[in-house]
Amino acid sequence: MRDQRSQDKPADCLSGSHRAADFHAMDWFGNPVLRDLLTVLNADGACTRIVGGAVRNALLGRPVNDVDLATTLLPEQTKAAAAAAGFKTVDTGLSHGTITAIRQVDGAFQAVEVTTLRHDVETFGRHAKVAFTDDWSADAARRDFTMNAIYVDQQGELFDPVGGVCDLETRTVRFVGDPDDRIEEDFLRILRFFRFSAQYGNGILEPAGLAACVRKRAGLASLSAERIRKELFSLLVAPFACDVLRAMESYGLLSDILGTVVSVDVLCRLAMIEEHQGYDVDQVRRLGALVPLTSLDQRGLKKRLRLSNSQSEALAAAAKTAGILRPPAGIADVTAALYSHGRRPVLDGVLIDWSKSDVRENDDVWIDLCARISNQPVPEFPLGGRDLVDRGVPEGPQVGRALRRLEAYWLQRDCIPGKVELLQQL
Ligand code: ATP
Ligand code: MG
């Protein structure tokens, strides 16, 4: 293994920013639930440290959302210690040594995952045969990337057995150990390599890791749709999505995963437009920019990525609205589109159209169209079935037919006629 350090020696390659990282000044580190849990899990000679995303994000100055702990306690000991301190415990993955400790604070639940130090004896995809250990280096060695194997103890001191801090400083996503071996243990690590590079890298992929991902790409076929979707969706909206997706596609990896042709250029243009205009970044919209949106492709993607109903509906809606509005569309066109499809799908469709055109992200005409889609009120048809029945239309199918006719009349007149005028048309 590269750059193996003795288990308790603080990292010696900290630059100014990381040496100055004062965990005690960070809100999440001072969270009373975490403090209490660390206190009980560090009593009587046990050693428990924070690891993974929390440490990585804290060192990068990014928000810390969830905290994972690694402990020398065996799972049953962890459960007993946490329960004695008033935590509820859930057996999240007991065979892998993971429990979740939960406490209710002000009506809200706070949960921390605690995993016993382990090394993976045999790995088959997500199912590993594990052995518990008290060796921190062994625990680091079973983790995927060096930047995910940095530990911080209760006192705020760093432990960095595989050189994660140096790699974090250079934004290098590096496999712990031999990349080919690590990928063979779990092919999801191919996607995690690209996803983490897009989230935490700098647009340059670590060459040994990249080469191994390309060599082992056939293993992607063995992954479940859910695992692929989760990684891919995080990757699509990551800061370096464009560079990383380009690199993936230069080896044909993206088309392989998605089962269709892809256009990374369109996605990159969409990313530039979103940034220039300050739009929220959306996973499904980005997917819609990456692939053709024929119904065949939509069906294929729904199955391949096991999209949720709301995700496939959003994709279908973006497909439907593609091509319906082009600059310079008038106010009435925008109004009709907003009424028929809703604001979000119209904006998605127009942004994707814009990205597919050769027009730059600072083009005033497209900017104006998108601003009108965002700001124009979505019109409401002023009549309901009740209004017609009150006016003597017999209840039943005739009401629906009359409403549709009046709606068409209203749409032809740019949604301007009010209730009175419409009822006069009856
Ligand atoms: P985030 O939660 O922000 O996606 P994270 O690093 O916390 O990032 P998790 O998926 O929550 O990621 O996993 C927690 C830690 O478990 C990781 O930091 C890593 O050390 C280890 N890990 C997770 N998945 C794998 C995997 N497939 N192979 C090896 N180690 C893994
Ligand atoms: Mg996490």
Side-chain angles (χ1 to χ4, degrees):
M1 189 190 311
R2 174 188 162 275
D3 200 14
Q4 183 88 44
R5 298 202 178 88
S6 73
Q7 64 182 69
D8 274 0
K9 190 175 154 218
D12 56 8
C13 65
L14 307 188
S15 75
S17 62
H18 290 134
R19 203 180 300 120
D22 178 4
F23 285 89
H24 292 281
M26 300 178 192
D27 282 350
W28 68 271
F29 192 72
N31 177 313
V33 173
L34 178 62
R35 305 305 311 164
D36 283 0
L37 190 61
L38 281 171
T39 301
V40 291
L41 300 183
N42 278 299
D44 303 326
C47 185
T48 302
R49 290 166 174 160
I50 304 161
V51 67
V55 181
R56 180 195 63 225
N57 286 15
L59 290 175
L60 287 172
R62 296 198 193 179
V64 169
N65 302 317
D66 61 85
V67 176
D68 297 301
L69 300 182
T71 183
T72 54
L73 291 169
L74 293 170
E76 291 302 332
Q77 296 173 315
T78 309
K79 281 168 68 174
F87 284 86
K88 263 186 181 317
T89 63
V90 175
D91 296 347
T92 314
L94 213 52
S95 59
H96 290 80
T98 304
I99 68 118
T100 305
I102 300 168
R103 183 181 279 176
Q104 199 172 2
V105 183
D106 299 333
F109 289 101
Q110 297 195 12
V112 180
E113 276 199 1
V114 190
T115 304
T116 301
L117 297 193
R118 63 176 222 230
H119 59 93
D120 296 341
V121 182
E122 254 178 80
T123 321
F124 348 85
R126 63 193 319 186
H127 308 287
K129 207 167 168 193
V130 309
F132 299 130
T133 171
D134 57 5
D135 179 350
W136 291 88
S137 298
D139 187 73
R142 64 99 181 159
R143 294 181 185 272
D144 45 10
F145 307 111
T146 58
M147 63 171 64
N148 288 346
I150 310 170
Y151 304 79
V152 168
D153 70 11
Q154 197 180 359
Q155 281 69 44
E157 190 151 344
L158 277 180
F159 299 91
D160 182 21
V162 289
V165 174
C166 292
D167 284 336
L168 205 52
E169 285 184 354
T170 56
R171 301 284 192 273
T172 307
V173 177
R174 190 190 306 280
F175 280 99
V176 178
D178 180 75
D180 288 78
D181 295 347
R182 303 313 311 284
I183 291 171
E184 275 191 5
E185 290 166 5
D186 180 1
F187 288 105
L188 188 73
R189 290 175 189 155
I190 296 179
L191 289 182
R192 284 176 69 89
F193 173 77
F194 291 114
R195 192 258 284 188
F196 277 98
S197 299
Q199 284 182 320
Y200 303 105
N202 55 8
I204 300 166
L205 293 157
E206 194 279 314
L210 174 61
C213 289
V214 174
R215 273 195 295 274
K216 301 287 174 194
R217 65 188 180 279
L220 287 169
S222 64
L223 296 175
S224 73
E226 285 87 352
R227 295 183 96 199
I228 294 178
R229 184 191 60 230
K230 187 169 167 285
E231 292 300 328
L232 186 75
F233 272 26
S234 303
L235 164 53
L236 286 177
V237 297
F240 282 94
C242 180
D243 304 70
V244 168
L245 291 168
R246 252 192 230 294
M248 287 175 82
E249 196 40 23
S250 68
Y251 296 98
L253 291 180
L254 262 186
S255 325
D256 269 6
I257 294 167
L258 294 171
T260 179
V261 286
V262 297
S263 172
V264 180
D265 282 347
V266 176
L267 182 135
C268 294
R269 276 204 293 273
L270 174 65
M272 285 202 288
I273 293 167
E274 285 167 341
E275 196 188 340
H276 191 261
Q277 296 300 302
Y279 285 119
D280 285 348
V281 175
D282 180 79
Q283 296 171 326
V284 176
R285 187 199 292 145
R286 290 235 169 150
L287 181 65
L290 191 62
V291 297
L293 284 175
T294 67
S295 49
L296 188 70
D297 287 299
Q298 285 181 52
R299 275 199 301 279
L301 285 168
K302 182 170 185 191
K303 194 158 162 231
R304 220 159 173 113
L305 299 177
R306 200 155 304 149
L307 298 177
S308 69
N309 284 342
S310 71
Q311 287 164 339
S312 28
E313 277 162 21
L315 199 63
K320 249 196 202 152
T321 50
I324 63 164
L325 282 179
R326 292 222 152 234
I331 292 184
D333 298 325
V334 173
T335 304
L338 289 176
Y339 175 72
S340 305
H341 301 279
R343 196 187 305 282
R344 185 64 205 229
V346 174
L347 186 63
D348 286 347
V350 168
L351 285 172
I352 292 173
D353 282 343
W354 183 1
S355 312
K356 284 183 178 163
S357 74
D358 280 335
V359 181
R360 296 291 308 263
E361 69 276 8
N362 57 2
D363 182 83
D364 287 338
V365 191
W366 281 91
I367 291 175
D368 177 59
L369 176 59
C370 289
R372 279 188 291 128
I373 293 167
S374 301
N375 299 323
Q376 246 178 256
V378 179
E380 259 182 65
F381 185 53
L383 288 186
R386 191 73 275 172
D387 298 306
L388 303 198
V389 175
D390 289 349
R391 279 305 202 89
V393 179
E395 291 198 38
Q398 284 191 48
V399 174
R401 278 201 294 275
L403 274 178
R404 278 195 296 281
R405 247 189 311 110
L406 290 169
E407 188 191 48
Y409 171 88
W410 177 74
L411 277 172
Q412 273 164 13
R413 283 155 189 79
D414 303 338
C415 311
I416 292 169
K419 203 167 182 165
V420 176
E421 182 183 338
L422 289 172
L423 286 175
Q424 280 165 0
Q425 293 299 316
L426 250 186

